[in-house]
Each structure stands twice: as C-alpha cells, then as structure tokens.
Amino acid sequence: MKVKVPELNDENVVVVQSTYSPQEKNLFELLLTCHELSRRKAKITAVIPYLAYARQNRSFTSGEAVSVDMVLDMLHAAGVRRLITVNPHKSDALAYFKGKAGIVDASKTLARAVMGQLDEPFVLAPDKGGLNLAKNAASVIKCEYTHIEKIRDNYGNVSIKKAHGGGFKGKDVIIFDDVISTGGTIALAARYAYAEGATSVCAAAVHLLMADEAYNRMKTVGVVKLFGANTIPFEKAEIADISSDIAEFIDHEKKEYD
Ligand code: R5P
C-alpha cells in the first residue's frame, strides 16, 4: 500500500476513516496517512466512525490480546492526538488512549430515521447495556422503552429471562443496539417480542457490521426493516447520515484543538 497526502495549508487536520472490514487494510491506510501528516507537523484529529477492535477491550479468556489498546497505541504513535469515534460498545474502551478521545452519540439521529415509520412504536434494548441507547431513542420517538434481561448458562448459551416493564401486545417493536454483528442478539430479541404479542419488529443499530448470515438470520425471525448509521455501508438498510453529529461535535470542542 502506498499513501500520498496533499500539501497542507493548515496545521489542523481532520482525517476521516472508518475501520470496518477489511479492518486491517483500512486501519493501516489510516496509520500511514496520519504518520505522513504528523511528519509534516500537522495536528491530527482522527475521526473513526467505526473503530475496529473496540469490542475487544479486555481479555475475555486468559491470554487473549486486548486488541483495542494496541490499536489506540498505534494511532497515537502515528501522530493522532485527538480521536473521535461513534458509539463504541463500551465508552471506557477509549480510556487507554494517550491523547484525547471523544465519543459522538448517534442514537438520536438514528431514532429520527425511524420516527414516523411505525404506528405503535415501542423501543426495546436487547440487553441492559443497550438501555441508554434505547432511552435516547425513545425520547426522540416519544414512546415507551424497556430492556431484556439475558441469562447465560454454563455452556455459554444465551437465553432471555424477561423484559422489564414490557407490554408488547399490539406494538411495533423497534430493537435498538449499538452494533449488529452476527444478528444473533437481534434475532433472539425479535423472537421474544413476537412471542409476547408484538405486531411487528424492526431493528436499528448504529454500526451494521453484518457478519456471516446476519441479515438472513434476522429476516427469518420476522424482522421487517433494518435501520443503521453511515459508519459502515450496508445497502439493505435505511441509513441515517450522522456526519452532522460529528461535525457539530468537532465545532463544539474546537477550542480544545486550538
Ligand atoms: C453486545 O452487548 C452488543 O451490544 C451487541 O448486542 C452484540 O455485539 C451484537 O452481536 P451479534 O449481532 O453477533 O449478536
């Protein structure tokens, strides 16, 4: 790979690169770009709408590499002094970064894309971790929300214990999550919502990674429509443009860069 950066006419540079699949290629391209810009004395803000490896923020089993820490180290070594990303799975995943890190919340813009498309909306978070996202979305859509409590057995199988305060009968349930990878989490929640009397089930996630058979897995259980943000391209979903959220965030924090 060979990267060539343009002549700079300002020392403040914002580099935008999302690091979805092929993540190593996208990441390396970003590193080369930032490294060259930093050699030219640029003050670099990297906007990485989808930050690869952010979900691997600890060793889940002994010996597993904490991948996000290595990614953050590499970005800093390449000259990134400010990093902005969108709804990482856990915000403390960025705590390790040696520069400044900022998080853009796309949940309200995503919710605006859904708004008006459902007759009896009801927002559902597929686990407790998704509660904030669901709460934000419900405040925009102006509807009720709840979350599902999952249990994991000794063999790692996940099943649903119950939904808190949820009466899904006659509702058009919209499941909100930060990311859809295999689609398994959404499929489980959708099956539950239908079993509890939902009229229809849609899904919305900030990052549509859509690995494996994710789309079909969700379609099979009756997910009617899919919404996502443009942090990762995916043509089978209705996509909300979150670039203004990022631009506003940069504007708002501008003083910090100067
Ligand atoms: C987990 O806590 C996350 O918020 C997502 O629910 C999960 O990563 C989605 O993964 P998948 O689509 O493979 O179930």
Side-chain angles (χ1 to χ4, degrees):
M1 184 188 294
K2 190 171 169 178
V3 162
K4 193 171 175 186
V5 303
E7 287 304 319
L8 300 181
N9 44 26
D10 191 320
E11 59 175 6
N12 295 302
V13 179
V14 179
V15 181
V16 184
Q17 171 89 316
S18 204
T19 53
Y20 51 84
S21 176
Q23 57 273 20
E24 286 78 19
K25 177 184 172 289
N26 288 331
L27 196 52
F28 195 61
E29 193 173 72
L30 174 64
L31 290 167
L32 288 179
T33 306
C34 292
H35 192 265
E36 181 52 25
L37 288 169
S38 109
R39 275 192 347 110
R40 288 160 184 258
K41 309 279 180 257
K43 292 180 183 167
I44 305 167
T45 295
V47 173
I48 310 177
Y50 175 72
L51 179 63
Y53 294 104
R55 286 187 295 167
Q56 185 69 26
N57 64 332
R58 62 185 175 91
S59 299
F60 295 94
T61 59
S62 172
E64 267 183 14
V66 183
S67 316
V68 73
D69 287 358
M70 190 273 293
V71 168
L72 295 173
D73 265 346
M74 288 197 304
L75 288 166
H76 194 263
V80 176
R81 291 296 170 263
R82 173 107 191 146
L83 183 147
I84 295 171
T85 190
V86 182
N87 293 92
H89 177 55
K90 289 230 164 20
S91 52
D92 55 12
L94 303 184
Y96 181 83
F97 186 56
K98 295 186 184 79
K100 285 183 178 176
I103 294 174
V104 174
D105 178 18
S107 58
K108 293 196 169 170
T109 302
L110 188 59
R112 277 193 284 275
V114 174
M115 209 164 57
Q117 299 210 28
L118 307 172
D119 293 335
E120 293 290 337
F122 192 115
V123 170
L124 175 64
D127 53 36
K128 204 174 174 188
L131 203 50
N132 265 344
L133 205 82
K135 190 177 173 183
N136 280 345
S139 76
V140 171
I141 300 171
K142 296 192 176 28
C143 68
E144 289 176 81
Y145 68 95
T146 188
H147 78 280
I148 279 173
E149 204 175 311
K150 290 193 293 195
I151 43 170
R152 197 176 287 270
D153 69 18
N154 292 341
Y155 305 99
N157 301 314
V158 176
S159 58
I160 287 174
K161 197 170 157 195
K162 62 174 177 178
H164 290 266
F168 300 133
K169 211 166 174 47
K171 296 288 182 185
D172 297 305
V173 172
I174 171 89
I175 307 166
F176 266 84
D177 210 350
D178 57 330
V179 57
I180 298 175
S181 181
T182 64
T185 302
I186 297 287
L188 192 69
R191 245 186 265 119
Y192 181 81
Y194 276 124
E196 294 291 310
T199 304
S200 71
V201 179
C202 293
V206 177
H207 309 294
L208 298 177
L209 271 179
M210 306 305 285
D212 307 327
E213 280 290 292
Y215 188 73
N216 290 338
R217 193 167 284 130
M218 292 189 297
K219 279 277 154 190
T220 307
V221 296
V223 173
V224 183
K225 198 166 181 183
L226 182 60
F227 299 84
N230 58 343
T231 60
I232 301 175
F234 185 68
E235 66 218 11
K236 289 178 185 161
E238 188 166 320
I239 297 295
D241 182 2
I242 57 142
S243 44
S244 323
D245 291 297
I246 295 173
E248 276 164 27
F249 186 90
I250 292 173
D251 264 356
H252 188 70
E253 308 259 302
K254 195 166 183 300
K255 281 194 193 89
E256 283 189 47
Y257 308 133
D258 297 337

